[in-house]
Amino acid sequence: MTVGVCYFPEHWPRERWERDVEQMAEAGFSYVRMAEFSWSRIEPEPGEIELSWLEEAVSLIGDHGMEAVLCTPTATPPKWLVDKEPGILQEEPDGTTRQYGSRRHYCFNSPEYREQTRRIVSVMAERFADNPHVAGWQTDNEYGCHETIRCWCDDCAAAFREWLSDAYGDVESLNEAWGTTFWSQHLRSFDEVDPPRHTAAEHHPSRLLDYYRFSAESAVDYNAIHTELLREANDDWFVAHNFMGDFDSCDVYRFADDLDLITWDSYPTGFAQDRRPGAASADELRAGDPDQVGMNHDLYRGAKQQPFWVMEQQPGDVNWPPYAPQPGEGAMRLWAHHAVAHGADEVLYFRWRRCREGQEQYHAGLRKQDGSPDRGYRDADRTATELAELDLDPVDADVAVLHDYDNLWATSIQPHAPDWEYWTHMRQYYAALRARSVQADVVHPDWDLSGYDAIVAPALHLVDEELAGALESRVEDGAELLLTVRSGAKDTSNKLPDVPAPGPLADLVGATVDQHESVPEQLDRRVSYDGETYGYRTFAEWLAPDGATAVGSHVGGVGDGRAAVTEHEFGAGHVTYCGVWPESGLADAVVADMLERADVPHSERLPTGVRATQRDGYTWVTNFTSDPVAVTVPDDARWLVGGETVGAFDAAVYEGAAADLSLDQR
Ligand code: GLA
């Protein structure tokens, strides 16, 4: 397990490169990523290719025992290209053009840009095809960053019509699938379909969902230009992309087959501020939320059910969140350990040195702008040494958490409550698993679920007979399944089935949904479960058991006494349906009962911010809080890093099982 860094030689005088690369090697780095934003440096004039500088940087890296990861430079087309082909630019729903001057200024469906991409990727791939120091490539950079997966330009309009024709065959099938009689939206031909541009009221939910699907697949289609050319040049290279945290519009599962390696970019203190409801706590401002970061690790591991990389690890203070606090002392080391525990094989810090120019001057590097070591460098150096001793097998998770962007999109199109948010709902159950020191793969429902003893399916909203059948067979074989609110409420066209929710899941659940409601804090939001009373939030259902046993009931409110949680024996397994969005106490109780039934090893419930994560017989104790924590481990456990007192923003590693850990109540 090693550490690396993202480097921009083009930002620095050539005479500085040798010392930079020496210092990277001294810190024990293995990989150096370069070139993602270098098109105007690679091709300063149309047709004038300058790659010798990049070849020199690659050689320096190779000469110091490290390997280069190069990037195709298409995230930032040069100004001469935009002036030559202004049609490559994207448009907003109201027709506003997303102009040149920042980044990601191109449309995935622009024929002209696809041609320019083929040209520049071919030139780079051929140039480095026989270079022994290039280990692999990252395609472009963070597809969709700055909300650029979706575009409403005329190229997208034409491509959407073609996509619909391929998907539905004839326009009557489209009318039937969407339900276009409503509000006089019947279509006579695919030519009548436009992108969902600016309207007075909300769009048709089925049309919007298909537009989100089309947009995500446009990025996948564009990415295939890169992967095909890179593999033609040298099929020994790995081809990767760097995805983002809690990101809605870019569907990693749709990319999975065409990438050898999934990587993502982890900025914990930023994510805690800009993509979670509610204010970040003081500790989260210093180290982030381990379950928010952990769920992304497990999503990008689950996307291909194999190890992943963190291609960009936060190195210190970052410029883009609302606030830019200095991370806690040791946080940069904590994050790298946490990533490896969750299955990362490599962690590269973004960036080597704070940049003196451009939009990211207020973004730290491992070195300061004068080249002197910054806080992150010392953490990275120490972590590289600690991890170098480890050669770990992949994570072997007992539990799967099902995640599907189509469900995210459909429930965000009709949230039915201002505080409905798919990631947050999902994370309520994920955090309950993690608080019990259970590893979970976050996987698409269509992935192979045969290896999991327990399956958690948060808001499994769009369900067809095929998915219901696959889950039935897993439960019949003995798996434990936990379904949550809004599961089975829609078909895959985002229409209500002609039976009550949970639709095709009804036999499995042994109950149907009699009523649903979204509930603000002014209303009664309590349920009884296993002799205790718990709170819930946002969304609730009144269940009508039909074979299942009601194990939880609404307390108070209009639904007083109605079933809220049901349990149903099905074949050799059981299905729990939790018909409320549980507060953490109820989520823990329901999850713990499922783990007991599934016989999945788990620890006592750990406090917020303290997590135990097992990989290949080793357990990481990670403390994302500012208070040291004392743990007790089995007598035969061997400490590799640290010991039983885990300091603030610290990580410790022992050889032993996570489930055997307990907090020392000394
Ligand atoms: C993303 C991008 C990088 C940089 C960082 C800043 O991860 O990939 O180019 O902008 O954010 O944190």
Side-chain angles (χ1 to χ4, degrees):
M1 317 339 279
T2 65
V3 168
V5 73
C6 304
Y7 185 45
F8 298 85
E10 70 271 29
H11 290 176
W12 305 101
R14 173 65 185 81
E15 54 273 15
R16 174 75 208 203
W17 296 2
E18 190 97 26
R19 182 144 35 120
D20 285 345
V21 174
E22 275 169 7
Q23 290 167 340
M24 292 172 199
E26 282 161 12
F29 289 174
S30 294
Y31 291 97
V32 181
R33 185 199 74 177
M34 295 184 289
E36 70 271 37
F37 303 124
S38 58
W39 194 334
S40 68
R41 186 70 179 73
I42 290 171
E43 190 177 18
E45 292 290 338
E48 274 185 37
I49 298 297
E50 289 183 14
L51 277 169
S52 54
W53 65 275
L54 189 55
E55 285 179 311
E56 283 182 49
V58 168
S59 296
L60 275 173
I61 286 159
D63 294 348
H64 287 79
M66 298 180 286
E67 293 190 274
V69 177
L70 295 182
C71 302
T72 53
T74 48
T76 47
K79 182 67 165 60
W80 59 260
L81 197 163
V82 174
D83 290 345
K84 179 171 179 284
E85 303 284 4
I88 72 168
L89 296 174
Q90 290 186 320
E91 285 181 20
E92 302 289 355
D94 66 359
T96 305
T97 300
R98 295 173 181 156
Q99 297 290 357
Y100 172 86
S102 185
R103 65 183 178 179
R104 299 219 58 76
H105 43 287
Y106 72 87
C107 170
F108 291 112
N109 288 305
S110 160
E112 295 80 10
Y113 198 63
R114 288 184 169 218
E115 198 40 51
Q116 291 287 345
T117 296
R118 280 186 195 89
R119 184 178 62 80
I120 194 65
V121 173
S122 300
V123 164
M124 290 186 76
E126 285 156 23
R127 185 67 163 268
F128 289 95
D130 302 320
N131 190 308
H133 305 307
V134 176
W137 291 73
Q138 169 186 299
T139 57
D140 198 286
N141 189 76
E142 292 194 336
Y143 288 132
C145 191
H146 315 302
E147 293 312 328
T148 55
I149 287 285
R150 295 164 189 163
C151 168
W152 287 263
C153 75
D154 289 341
D155 288 329
C156 285
F160 184 39
R161 295 176 191 124
E162 196 175 322
W163 185 89
L164 288 171
S165 173
D166 292 345
Y168 292 96
D170 59 76
V171 74
E172 277 320 308
S173 301
L174 175 64
N175 283 312
E176 170 56 30
W178 283 3
T180 54
T181 307
F182 190 81
W183 286 0
S184 177
Q185 300 182 70
H186 185 268
L187 298 159
R188 295 173 305 155
S189 78
F190 292 109
D191 292 344
E192 288 189 342
V193 184
D194 292 321
R197 293 179 174 131
H198 185 69
T199 50
E202 64 269 30
H203 279 289
H204 190 297
S206 302
R207 173 180 173 218
L208 216 45
L209 178 58
D210 268 347
Y211 199 69
Y212 292 176
R213 287 165 168 162
F214 154 75
S215 301
E217 290 174 18
S218 298
V220 175
D221 200 39
Y222 172 77
N223 185 63
I225 298 170
H226 300 244
T227 57
E228 184 183 335
L229 291 167
L230 291 169
R231 291 192 177 113
E232 270 172 21
N234 181 341
D235 61 7
D236 289 334
W237 284 329
F238 66 76
V239 182
H241 183 70
N242 59 329
F243 296 91
M244 291 165 280
D246 285 1
F247 195 74
D248 288 6
S249 53
C250 183
D251 181 342
V252 64
Y253 303 114
R254 286 177 158 102
F255 278 94
D257 284 346
D258 196 22
L259 292 172
D260 303 304
L261 172 68
I262 302 292
T263 81
W264 79 287
D265 300 337
S266 177
Y267 294 89
T269 65
F271 297 156
Q273 296 182 68
D274 83 335
R275 56 200 75 184
R276 276 187 339 164
S281 69
D283 283 345
E284 289 167 340
L285 286 166
R286 295 297 181 194
D289 169 356
D291 295 332
Q292 181 183 33
V293 177
M295 195 164 86
N296 282 285
H297 285 321
D298 298 343
L299 164 64
Y300 291 117
R301 182 181 76 244
K304 285 181 75 75
Q305 293 175 302
Q306 68 178 48
F308 64 98
W309 285 19
V310 172
M311 189 64 94
E312 297 181 13
Q313 179 58 67
Q314 180 175 346
D317 55 297
V318 290
N319 61 301
W320 46 267
Y323 285 95
Q326 280 295 330
E329 196 55 44
M332 281 67 85
R333 168 181 169 267
L334 167 66
W335 293 329
H337 273 287
H338 184 244
V340 168
H342 277 266
D345 277 356
E346 308 298 335
V347 177
L348 283 73
Y349 286 89
F350 182 88
R351 71 169 83 230
W352 171 246
R353 182 167 167 183
R354 184 185 292 271
C355 200
R356 293 183 52 230
E357 63 191 54
Q359 282 89 330
E360 295 185 335
Q361 297 162 304
Y362 282 94
H363 191 302
L366 295 181
R367 315 286 291 198
K368 296 183 178 178
Q369 66 266 33
D370 65 354
S372 62
D374 205 340
R375 301 177 65 215
Y377 181 79
R378 287 182 278 276
D379 274 13
D381 185 2
R382 179 181 169 193
T383 310
T385 305
E386 291 170 338
L387 293 177
E389 306 302 315
L390 294 171
D391 180 11
L392 300 169
D393 287 342
V395 167
D396 179 16
D398 296 321
V399 179
V401 176
L402 303 189
H403 168 272
D404 180 352
Y405 290 86
D406 291 41
N407 290 329
L408 187 165
W409 298 332
T411 54
S412 70
I413 289 167
Q414 293 174 299
H416 211 49
D419 53 350
W420 173 271
E421 201 282 316
Y422 180 82
W423 296 104
T424 309
H425 178 72
M426 185 179 156
R427 193 159 46 244
Q428 192 80 318
Y429 290 95
Y430 174 85
L433 290 165
R434 294 296 305 123
R436 294 283 181 167
S437 308
V438 170
Q439 280 278 36
D441 285 347
V442 176
V443 294
H444 189 276
D446 291 348
W447 274 207
D448 177 6
L449 303 178
S450 58
Y452 303 109
D453 302 321
I455 300 165
V456 179
L460 193 71
H461 197 52
L462 309 170
V463 177
D464 59 14
E465 293 295 344
E466 186 182 351
L467 174 55
L471 291 174
E472 283 181 0
S473 59
R474 281 299 301 122
V475 179
E476 267 168 348
D477 291 350
E480 291 298 316
L481 172 65
L482 167 55
L483 286 156
T484 85
V485 289
R486 309 186 75 173
S487 292
K490 295 286 196 82
D491 66 22
T492 53
S493 298
N494 206 10
K495 280 196 313 191
L496 294 177
D498 58 3
V499 293
L505 298 171
D507 290 347
L508 196 53
V509 172
T512 54
V513 175
D514 177 36
Q515 297 293 341
H516 65 255
E517 58 174 351
S518 52
V519 276
E521 59 186 358
Q522 302 92 313
L523 300 180
D524 238 329
R525 305 191 299 188
R526 292 173 296 147
V527 295
S528 64
Y529 177 80
D530 200 15
E532 299 288 337
T533 300
Y534 296 96
Y536 66 82
R537 50 164 289 187
T538 307
F539 202 96
E541 295 164 341
W542 307 351
L543 305 180
D546 178 11
T549 305
V551 294
S553 303
H554 285 279
V555 175
V558 176
D560 184 33
R562 298 301 303 268
V565 187
T566 58
E567 214 174 274
H568 187 219
E569 189 169 350
F570 191 90
H574 297 81
V575 180
T576 303
Y577 187 98
C578 186
V580 294
W581 178 332
E583 294 296 12
S584 59
L586 177 59
D588 175 66
V590 169
V591 162
D593 287 348
M594 176 195 70
L595 294 172
E596 287 293 337
R597 278 196 302 275
D599 201 19
V600 169
H602 55 283
S603 73
E604 65 185 46
R605 189 181 178 192
L606 300 184
T608 301
V610 179
R611 291 290 178 259
T613 313
Q614 183 171 335
R615 178 179 180 181
D616 189 19
Y618 297 95
T619 292
W620 272 258
V621 185
T622 49
N623 182 5
F624 280 68
T625 79
S626 48
D627 298 321
V629 62
V631 300
T632 302
V633 297
D635 294 340
D636 60 354
R638 177 172 67 91
W639 287 97
L640 281 81
V641 175
E644 295 186 335
T645 299
V646 185
F649 310 121
D650 193 0
V653 187
Y654 67 87
E655 191 169 7
D660 296 336
L661 174 103
S662 62
L663 288 190
D664 191 332
Q665 304 306 336
R666 274 182 252 152

